[in-house]
Amino acid sequence: MSEPVITPEVVAKHNLTPEEYQKIVEILGRPPGYTELGIFSVMWSEHCSYKNTRPVLKTFPTKGSRILVGAGEENAGIIDVGDGIAIAFKIESHNHPSAVEPFQGAATGVGGIVRDIFTMGARPVAALNSLRFGNLDNPTVRRLFTGVVSGIAHYGNCFGIPTIGGEVYFDTSYEGNPLVNAFCIGVLRHEQITRGAAHGVGNPVFYVGPATGRDGLAGAAFASQDLTEESSEQQRGAVQVGDPFMEKLVCEACLELLATGAVAGMQDMGAAGLTCSTCETAARAGTGIEIELDLVPQRAPNMSSYEIMLSESQERMLIVVHKGREEEVKRIFDKWDLPWAEIGVVTDSGRMVVRHHGEVIADIPARKLTDEAPIYFREMREAAYMAGVRSFRLDGIADTQDPVADLNRLLSDSTIASKNWVYRQYDHMVRDGSIVCPGSDAAVIRIKADSLPVLPVGHPAEGRPVPDKYVAMAVDCNAAYVYLDPYEGGKTAVAEACRNLACSGAIPLGATDNLNFGNPHNPEIFWQLRESVRGLADGCRAFDAPVTGGNCSLYNQRGALGSIDPTPTVAVVGLVEDPAHITTQWFKESGDVVLLLGKAVDTQDPLQGLGGSAQLRVGHQLKTGLPPRCDLEVARTLHTTLVGLIREGVVRSAHDCSEGGLAVALAECGISELIARETPRLLGATIDLSAFAEAGVRLDALLFGETQSRVVITVKAEDAGRVLKQAQIMGVPAARIGVVGGNALVLKVGERQWTAPLATLHDGWWNSIARSMAQ
């Protein structure tokens, strides 16, 4: 089969500039062949090379005493959690594929991130996701939403991993380009860490997993360009098709194989498929690799070398085996009924050489593909809309006249409402390690002995008791805040994720981020990116949560619909030292005292916490105003104080104030506990906020403002005085604001009082999304 002639038009279709093509010619010392052009196009795409973002990413804090595998080293970062046990975790996007084929796009997003974890030698133990869609009154959005959630549920449930938490936001900016960010965490012993490097000249290279097809062709390149109606139709073949049962077999076989010691290196075939796995493993080891495509299992007839190299068919792994250990590898793959093939060998050439039908169809220096992609320093310019954002004031914005109606409206808003319609489709209890399931501030899992990968027979640690570890995790980003002030929004994303961990009793260990933005060639979008990363970096430094890796997803925009709101999603993982310290958000008992930690209203903020708030958006259809300020020192002091109080055993519940403000947080404390799968336990409270009704403080700011660094906690009546005194010593504003009890949320401010029956609040909050989906 003859390859197409390379013309300027062909180069442009591969998303390469004339300058980049000329650099390829210089690297090779000749014009590339068509397959070589395809290889460069995927490896030099933004998705694989980070050519527009690498200089910005270098500003993240990535070092820490607990880090065992850091950012950029391997497929996922790894952090020590003590006693020789470690956790591997990462978040990645599958946005463009999910916009085109929501079920398969989301399903294979889960599959890809799970492979990133067991590639490191870790057993995957839990998953989270962060999702963004347009408004649910749009039938197309409902179709996308249904498909994405079904895809996540299908893959996770079939593979047997609990999807234990996450977040879902709805905003018109995602109308044409939904975001699907998938997170996975796995566990392993320190000595079980596996590297994705082709070590050992002469070692054979094995392919394991299903045969290669034409699905997922050049998916990495597709994810590195603007999404249009035309590209959506043309690139349906770039969306992979997943098989979670096959992935389970591959996972178990790989973990069993690793225990034999026969593996010299292992890499999954994710973005860019066989291309990425071969050149990256060679580049990491400083070796070369030669493969023969005639030996690669193929499920479609007459596949070209271009198609085989760029296919992103799922559930495939590349494994470098110690020479002489081939029969062990074959035995294990046969035991698990997995297709396998020995397709190549490690060399000392430093080159990736690909043969097909007796010809060399690619001969490229491996490191030129992986480490020497072009790097761009894009032009940046503050977004023009920021002038209007900064000048916005509350003059002319009516204060709330009916707080109960406003509270019901906020609780029924799709972004704030319960996400039970989503998480009821997920198995969040499989493997019996889930401690805090979806519905509280952070998810918590128990890492127990059977969570860890198998050890080789006779290993010194075999049979040694493994202490349980309790790991908390949360994923956060208020993209409206980032849109309105990228730096403050970036800080706030980290602070809220860490605050959610603190509310669960955990201290942060590390973070992974997913930077979702529009086209980086737009100076205003690149300014959003740079400023939000600056905020994320400062936040991670403040909470000692180094970034262990992540993902960049750019070009998230669609024609006339424009760019998404900048969405730098951050997932933070933390450790709870004692299971007795695990804390949830719901009220526990009548008679408990309700305390507010943090300022009720930031009176130094001219918008009193209403800038970018849900109250402005839902009640006044406005997305404007500078968002609440995030003082990282104040936030860190709050978190330290809260975790200290939890460890003293005096905190009965803790819930952070975020979207919707204090009133929404209080309502959620009373309506979010389930005593059965769908049976709520409603427990109200009488709240008196009169002490904060100072001159000039708006009622809507007091009830629904989103001033940062605030947590609602409950304690026994006899502990309230001690807790208030301890907070004062620590420099954290704290006040007694009410008592738990009754079947309503009663709000008092001076002479005014409002009563919100919990049954009504719960009905709107619990059923809102289901009712929207039933349209």
Side-chain angles (χ1 to χ4, degrees), residues 6 55 76 91 138 171 197 299-300 445 496 523 600 645 705 725 737:
I6 297 176
I91 190 169
N138 183 326
D171 186 90
R299 67 169 179 263
I445 61 167
E496 183 175 350
L645 291 169
K725 183 176 181 180
I737 61 171

Side-chain angles (χ1 to χ4, degrees), residues 600-619:
V601 179
D602 180 2
T603 54
Q604 301 303 306
D605 175 1
L607 302 181
Q608 299 181 23
L610 287 169
S613 67
Q615 174 69 356
L616 273 190
R617 176 176 55 83
V618 175

Side-chain angles (χ1 to χ4, degrees), residues 54-330:
R54 192 175 292 188
V56 179
L57 299 178
K58 289 183 181 295
T59 65
F60 278 133
T62 58
K63 306 298 182 183
S65 59
R66 288 181 175 267
I67 290 187
L68 302 176
V69 176
E73 292 182 34
E74 295 286 348
N75 294 280
I78 298 182
I79 284 184
D80 173 31
V81 293
D83 298 300
I85 300 170
I87 52 175
F89 58 91
K90 189 182 182 184
I91 190 169
E92 277 206 344
S93 63
H94 235 217
N95 300 338
H96 279 35
S98 300
V100 175
E101 291 286 354
F103 181 90
Q104 289 294 352
T108 53
V110 175
I113 197 65
V114 168
R115 279 196 306 281
D116 278 342
I117 299 306
F118 72 74
T119 295
M120 300 301 301
R123 176 173 294 283
V125 293
L128 306 176
N129 52 70
S130 174
L131 312 177
R132 300 289 193 285
F133 298 91
N135 292 326
L136 286 177
D137 55 6
N138 183 326
T140 299
V141 171
R142 294 198 297 273
R143 176 183 64 81
L144 292 171
F145 186 35
T146 299
V148 164
V149 172
S150 298
I152 292 170
H154 168 72
Y155 210 100
N157 294 355
C158 293
F159 180 85
I161 186 171
T163 303
I164 196 171
E167 60 171 3
V168 190
Y169 280 74
F170 299 88
D171 186 90
T172 54
S173 78
Y174 306 104
E175 205 81 11
N177 200 130
L179 302 185
V180 178
N181 294 177
F183 167 95
C184 186
I185 185 171
V187 300
L188 72 168
R189 298 171 182 85
H190 291 191
E191 61 267 35
Q192 292 176 310
I193 295 173
T194 303
R195 298 286 181 169
H199 290 298
V201 173
N203 279 339
V205 176
F206 275 74
Y207 170 118
V208 62
T212 296
R214 291 189 171 98
D215 58 306
L217 194 61
F222 169 50
S224 302
Q225 57 185 314
D226 286 356
L227 191 63
T228 65
E229 295 303 324
E230 182 182 11
S231 71
S232 293
E233 285 305 312
Q234 291 175 347
Q235 296 289 351
R236 288 192 185 277
V239 180
Q240 306 91 336
V241 177
D243 181 346
F245 298 107
M246 177 63 76
E247 178 126 322
K248 180 65 172 176
L249 295 177
V250 172
C251 176
E252 296 300 333
C254 286
L255 293 179
E256 182 176 335
L257 178 61
L258 288 170
T260 67
V263 175
M266 185 164 70
Q267 173 85 352
D268 77 306
M269 297 187 205
L274 193 54
T275 290
C276 185
S277 58
T278 50
C279 68
E280 283 192 352
T281 52
R284 286 193 188 115
T287 58
I289 194 165
E290 287 193 15
I291 60 170
E292 172 55 69
L293 297 188
D294 289 328
L295 300 175
V296 173
Q298 299 161 46
R299 67 169 179 263
N302 302 317
M303 289 186 70
S304 68
S305 55
Y306 181 98
E307 291 171 328
I308 298 170
M309 288 301 294
L310 271 65
S311 169
E312 293 182 13
S313 294
Q314 294 290 283
E315 293 90 36
R316 302 176 302 157
M317 303 289 287
L318 190 82
I319 301 177
V320 180
V321 176
H322 290 297
K323 191 172 179 60
R325 309 287 296 274
E326 294 91 339
E327 292 308 312
E328 295 173 72
V329 176
K330 296 173 185 177

